[in-house]
């Protein structure tokens, strides 16, 4: 446990092109300059996961689940490698890592696995040696040593789990919206931003379709008492705190 560790999760919409990756670099550098030790969880760029799934279903009506997980975990792998390349070019020591490399052990179920444990000290070693770990969200390694994925949108769950294991007890969810609103602000002009909400209210909103956070991530955050901050990707401002 390290109080200075801060888990920052970048969603797919916040890493979708070069400009957005460079904004992510700025937010990460800013945390380091403030004495924090960021641990990054990244999702696949834009709708990459859907594109990969479409490719698979164009070849088979019923693709093998193991092969599907092998395929769709590559989306996150691209994101973490590109982000780490961008960081290293700007003077930040970073290392991209897959779910299996950090020992994120899950149930053996493909496409919908549950996280069981973080069974390796790789992340702690990287942090101690001064590297910013850039971890592929949404994926792990099953108890049977096969690559697994969580439910769709599961990078939020990866991030909350890592925050509870690594310390700091808070997670910054970097999003393409300025906070949680009472309804989707991209669909309703009169949506009102909520500055502070409790886990139960957020869980209900998420279940009702507010896809800004995965309901399982909110549930896990409540169980582990991990505070969630919704941070706008352009300016790094905290728009909503969930605790
Ligand atoms: N109540 C809400 N408050 C804020 N955003 C919402 C809400 N309901 C739906 N959204 C949508 O959630 C999106 C962010 O979630 P998502 O794209 O899944 O994030 P990420 O890819 O970062 O995990 C926003 O672009 C917004 O349109
Ligand atoms: N890329 C995965 C996992 C994920 O969590 O994505 P996002 O953080 O963009 O919701 C998906 O599309 O399901």
């Amino acid at each position: 446990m390290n109080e200075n560790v801060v888990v920052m999760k970048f969603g797919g919409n916040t890493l979708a092109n070069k400009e957005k990756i460079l904004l992510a670099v700025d937010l990460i550098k800013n945390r380091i300059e403030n004495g924090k030790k960021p641990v990054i969880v990244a999702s696949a760029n834009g709708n990459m996961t859907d594109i990969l799934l479409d490719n698979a279903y164009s070849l088979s009506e019923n693709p093998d689940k193991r092969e599907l997980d092998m395929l769709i975990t590559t989306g996150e792998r691209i994101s973490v490698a590109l982000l780490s390349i961008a960081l290293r070019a700007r003077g930040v020591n970073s290392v991209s890592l897959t779910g299996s490399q950090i020992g994120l052990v899950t149930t053996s179920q493909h496409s919908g696995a549950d996280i069981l444990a973080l069974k390796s000290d790789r992340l702690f070693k990287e942090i101690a040696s001064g590297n910013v770990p850039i971890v592929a969200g949404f994926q792990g390694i099953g108890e049977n040593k096969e690559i697994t994925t969580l439910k769709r949108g599961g990078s939020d769950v990866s991030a909350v789990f890592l925050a509870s294991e690594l310390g700091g007890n808070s997670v910054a969810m970097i999003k393409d919206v300025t906070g949680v609103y009472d309804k989707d602000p991209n669909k309703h002009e009169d949506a009102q931003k909520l500055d502070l909400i409790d886990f139960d209210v957020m869980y209900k909103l998420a279940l009702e379709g507010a896809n800004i956070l995965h309901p399982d991530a909110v549930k896990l955050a409540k169980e582990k008492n991990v505070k969630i901050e919704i941070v706008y990707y352009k300016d790094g401002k905290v728009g909503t705190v969930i605790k």
Side-chain angles (χ1 to χ4, degrees):
M1 283 279 185
N2 184 329
E3 289 304 310
N4 284 327
V5 168
V6 56
V7 174
M8 302 172 77
K9 183 253 170 175
F10 288 86
N13 293 330
T14 66
L15 294 172
N17 57 39
K18 179 183 167 184
E19 286 68 33
K20 289 182 174 183
I21 291 175
L22 294 181
L23 282 172
V25 169
D26 288 343
L27 290 192
I28 295 165
K29 285 182 86 163
N30 189 269
R31 297 282 175 141
I32 297 169
E33 281 155 20
N34 286 313
K36 298 291 181 190
K37 292 184 182 300
V39 172
I40 312 305
V41 175
S43 299
N45 296 353
N47 57 350
M48 177 62 85
T49 310
D50 289 328
I51 292 169
L52 292 168
L53 283 169
D54 285 351
N55 285 344
Y57 281 93
S58 77
L59 293 165
S60 163
E61 277 177 18
N62 187 20
D64 183 85
K65 292 257 187 271
R66 177 196 180 275
E67 303 306 335
L68 269 186
D69 274 354
M70 191 61 90
L71 176 72
I72 64 176
T73 48
T74 61
E76 272 68 20
R77 204 160 159 153
I78 293 169
S79 294
V80 293
L82 287 174
L83 184 53
S84 188
I85 286 167
L87 281 162
R88 295 188 77 88
R90 286 156 188 82
V92 178
N93 289 331
S94 58
V95 58
S96 58
L97 296 160
T98 64
S100 59
Q101 281 175 310
I102 65 161
L104 193 74
V105 178
T106 71
T107 55
S108 297
Q109 191 196 336
H110 289 293
S111 314
D114 289 315
I115 299 176
L116 296 174
L118 182 65
K119 276 201 178 163
S120 119
D121 56 2
R122 178 75 189 268
L123 272 181
F124 291 103
K125 278 189 178 154
E126 296 293 353
I127 296 166
S129 69
N131 276 331
V132 175
I134 318 288
V135 179
F138 175 58
Q139 59 180 261
I141 178 133
E143 289 175 297
N144 56 357
K145 301 278 195 291
E146 294 287 357
I147 303 289
T148 54
T149 57
L150 313 181
K151 290 177 200 150
R152 292 299 308 273
S155 294
D156 288 345
V157 182
S158 311
V160 171
F161 188 82
L162 290 185
S164 74
E165 291 288 308
L166 299 175
N169 270 357
S170 80
V171 56
M173 300 284 191
I174 320 295
K175 297 280 177 182
D176 67 347
V177 273
T178 52
V180 177
Y181 287 71
D182 58 351
K183 49 197 164 189
D184 189 342
N186 288 322
K187 291 189 185 147
H188 304 273
E189 270 185 19
D190 62 338
Q192 300 288 318
K193 188 159 79 65
L194 308 164
D195 294 337
L196 178 65
I197 42 182
D198 68 32
F199 290 122
D200 293 334
V201 171
M202 185 65 235
Y203 185 64
K204 196 163 169 281
L205 279 173
L207 281 184
E208 286 166 359
N211 59 334
I212 183 163
L213 282 176
H214 197 295
D216 290 356
V218 183
K219 197 167 158 226
L220 185 64
K222 182 179 179 183
E223 266 169 42
K224 306 274 188 185
N225 198 23
V226 172
K227 181 177 77 174
I228 301 176
E229 294 177 342
I230 305 295
V231 173
Y232 190 43
Y233 78 105
K234 283 190 182 165
D235 58 16
K237 288 202 177 122
V238 179
T240 301
V241 174
I242 302 139
K243 63 180 188 178

